[in-house]
Amino acid sequence: MRVGVVGAGGWGINHVRVLANERLCRELVVHDTDPRQRARVAEVAPAAQWVATFDEVVARCDAIVIATPAATHEELATRAIAAGKQTLIEKPLALSLEGARKLAALPTQPGQIVMIGHLMLFHPAVRRLHELVRSGTLGHPYYAQATRVNLGRLRADETALWCLGTHDLSMLDFLFGEPGVEVSACGKAVLQPGVEDVVFATVRYASGLMANLHVSWLHPRKERRFTLVCSRQMVEFDDVAREKLKIYDRGYDRPPDFKEFGEFLTIRDGDVHIPQIPMIEPLRAELQAFLHGAATGTQPETDLASALRVTAILDAAERSIRHGGTPQAVEST
């Protein structure tokens, strides 16, 4: 099929690179409002066709990837969906819950898919972690702790919460399988007024599950760590480390019979298992799922419903920040 990439900047150029080598992409068309990106596109995808306007992408392509700045997602996605195009929208879906709801309410044609770029759900280690949770091997989940920090590129149109937090919230939605109900968050804008560089957030779920997030692009080192504590085992996913997933056979055991309180809980300090996980670039896996879904009319799991649930939590977290950390209810989607 003919695929268009709108936005060839810092992340969009990676979409161009991957799509240039995918067999389902018969023709690659690229547009960016910055003409300086044309040279970069020619370097990574010599056969790609550069066009001057978004309308040309819509006219020439069957499927469109929107990888522009977050503030433009709502407008461009609306136009692509209305034109009946197979559409992949980079995260976040929109910069407001109202905008996300408008996109989710747009009518689509039979066989037309709309996919959200929740990249981490296509990471092989996250897929394995999902299998472990669903199989019951880990026991009952208790809580999760996510840290996504680095000394990164500043953004003027979105905070660290909307830029980085979307990754971990989409993982929590995928692993927990239930929507959040309440969020408390605090943040600080250090470098740009009104744009929080660092955010701490706690999300609570109806079942009693809890997750804590720390996101920042003002940090001395890069960390991409997600810890899940369950009743039988604990798991750490470290995307920066060579060994991505570690399963800890550690926790507390409750003997069936005990006479003294000290015997009631005993620490279990077992082995650490490092599973062998065949790796594929998450973006390649994501784009292959998009192309397959576009070709067959099969909606990938990162759909508008999942994006709405994530956006609702982001919205509640932002309201909590504006209200001094007061817990805010997650609105129904």
Side-chain angles (χ1 to χ4, degrees), residues 120-329:
M120 298 310 298
L121 273 59
F122 296 91
H123 195 298
V126 176
R127 306 297 292 190
R128 177 65 65 84
L129 180 54
H130 181 263
E131 292 173 4
L132 291 169
V133 171
R134 290 292 177 264
S135 69
T137 302
L138 306 175
H140 302 295
Y142 287 149
Y143 73 90
Q145 165 73 40
T147 301
R148 189 170 297 271
V149 297
N150 62 284
L151 189 62
R153 180 170 63 91
L154 296 178
R155 299 173 183 265
D157 63 335
E158 57 181 333
T159 66
L161 172 68
W162 287 79
C163 177
L164 301 176
T166 307
H167 286 303
D168 295 303
L169 290 174
S170 65
M171 289 167 58
L172 289 165
D173 182 77
F174 183 51
L175 295 172
F176 286 176
E178 60 175 292
V181 296
E182 184 183 80
V183 185
S184 57
C186 59
K188 187 172 181 63
V190 179
L191 302 176
Q192 302 176 94
V195 182
E196 284 80 16
D197 317 285
V198 56
V199 173
F200 298 89
T202 299
V203 186
R204 298 184 183 277
Y205 296 81
S207 65
L209 288 169
M210 181 178 71
N212 189 65
L213 280 69
H214 173 204
V215 295
S216 173
W217 50 50
L218 187 61
H219 199 79
R221 66 183 182 277
K222 182 176 182 178
E223 291 185 52
R224 298 287 186 270
R225 185 176 291 110
F226 183 95
T227 304
L228 180 63
V229 176
C230 300
S231 59
R232 294 178 187 167
Q233 295 178 317
M234 308 177 186
V235 184
E236 184 177 73
F237 165 46
D238 188 344
D239 202 18
V240 176
R242 179 180 176 182
E243 298 164 336
K244 302 296 184 186
L245 207 63
K246 292 182 179 179
I247 304 170
Y248 295 83
D249 186 19
R250 294 176 180 173
Y252 284 93
D253 287 331
R254 290 175 168 83
D257 298 311
F258 63 94
K259 297 179 180 179
E260 298 181 8
F261 181 75
E263 298 174 346
F264 179 57
L265 294 177
T266 57
I267 294 178
R268 181 182 71 261
D269 192 7
D271 294 333
V272 179
H273 174 60
I274 302 174
Q276 183 176 3
I277 302 174
M279 291 300 297
I280 179 176
E281 182 183 3
L283 181 60
R284 185 170 299 280
E286 176 185 277
L287 287 171
Q288 287 176 350
F290 174 58
L291 294 175
H292 175 75
T296 62
T298 305
Q299 175 64 56
E301 55 197 337
T302 54
D303 57 8
L304 284 167
S306 65
L308 269 179
R309 292 192 298 270
V310 169
T311 307
I313 296 177
L314 290 167
D315 171 78
E318 186 162 289
R319 283 188 279 114
S320 180
I321 292 172
R322 304 294 172 237
H323 289 82
T326 303
Q328 301 290 312

